[in-house]
């Protein structure tokens, strides 16, 4: 007679408590003052870094330099993409207004949102006796 011992490992459970709203307002730059200063003093470097962190081409924001209209298309598209990826409520109209009149603040808000939602998952090993 053979006996089998079955051990069931604890499974990781991930509970998402993300909201369908932005984690910070468009003017909440005080939440991360060094990042806000970086965006103010070296905007294009900050936008390129944020774009790369989001998984897009490093130089993508530089295309906004060549815009023919008033609205920065790349900034607006990145904001709309981020809303889609994270399930954030909003409208293209708001994306357009924020991207056009608050460009640096928009990039700061997107950067804060990525940091807030990019929670590292840590698996802790179970002790066996």
């Amino acid at each position: 007679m053979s006996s089998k011992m079955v051990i069931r490992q604890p499974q990781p459970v991930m509970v998402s408590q993300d909201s369908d709203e932005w984690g910070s307002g468009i003017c909440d730059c005080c939440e991360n003052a060094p990042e806000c200063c970086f965006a103010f003093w070296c905007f294009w470097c900050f936008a390129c870094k944020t774009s790369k962190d989001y998984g897009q081409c490093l130089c993508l924001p530089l295309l906004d330099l060549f815009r023919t209209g008033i609205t920065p298309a790349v900034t607006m598209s990145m904001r709309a993409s981020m809303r889609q990826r994270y399930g954030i409520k909003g409208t293209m109209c708001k994306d357009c207004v924020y991207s056009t009149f608050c460009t640096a603040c928009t990039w700061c808000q997107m950067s804060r949102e990525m940091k807030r939602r990019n929670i590292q998952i840590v698996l802790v090993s179970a002790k066996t006796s």
Side-chain angles (χ1 to χ4, degrees), residues 37-51:
C37 289
F38 180 29
F40 179 76
W41 293 109
C42 193
F43 171 72
W44 295 111
C45 294
F46 179 78
C48 288
K49 179 193 171 303
T50 304
S51 176

Side-chain angles (χ1 to χ4, degrees), residues 44 47-48 51 56-65 74 78 107:
W44 295 111
C48 288
S51 176
Q56 296 297 323
C57 176
L58 174 71
C59 298
L60 184 64
L62 297 178
L63 291 175
D64 277 346
L65 289 169
V74 172
M78 287 279 292
W107 281 98

Side-chain angles (χ1 to χ4, degrees), residues 5-123:
M5 180 187 280
V6 177
I7 298 174
R8 185 163 184 219
Q9 294 289 332
Q11 299 297 315
V13 177
M14 188 170 141
V15 178
S16 177
Q17 296 178 344
D18 287 335
S19 170
D20 60 353
E21 300 292 329
W22 288 95
S24 61
I26 194 77
C27 295
D28 288 342
C29 290
C30 293
E31 285 187 14
N32 191 339
E35 190 171 80
C36 181
C37 289
F38 180 29
F40 179 76
W41 293 109
C42 193
F43 171 72
W44 295 111
C45 294
F46 179 78
C48 288
K49 179 193 171 303
T50 304
S51 176
K52 184 175 185 295
D53 292 345
Y54 189 63
Q56 296 297 323
C57 176
L58 174 71
C59 298
L60 184 64
L62 297 178
L63 291 175
D64 277 346
L65 289 169
F66 302 106
R67 64 182 179 210
T68 55
I70 191 170
T71 302
V74 172
T75 302
M76 188 175 87
S77 299
M78 287 279 292
R79 183 178 165 85
S81 172
M82 192 167 288
R83 279 193 312 100
Q84 176 69 28
R85 179 182 287 183
Y86 296 136
I88 298 171
K89 289 181 184 175
T91 64
M92 286 299 287
C93 183
K94 278 187 178 181
D95 293 339
C96 183
V97 169
Y98 288 149
S99 299
T100 303
F101 299 107
C102 307
T103 308
C105 293
T106 298
W107 281 98
C108 285
Q109 182 186 38
M110 290 190 293
S111 178
R112 287 191 305 269
E113 195 66 28
M114 283 189 305
K115 287 181 178 134
R116 183 179 155 270
R117 299 210 184 221
N118 187 19
I119 300 168
Q120 297 297 320
I121 299 170
V122 178
L123 296 178

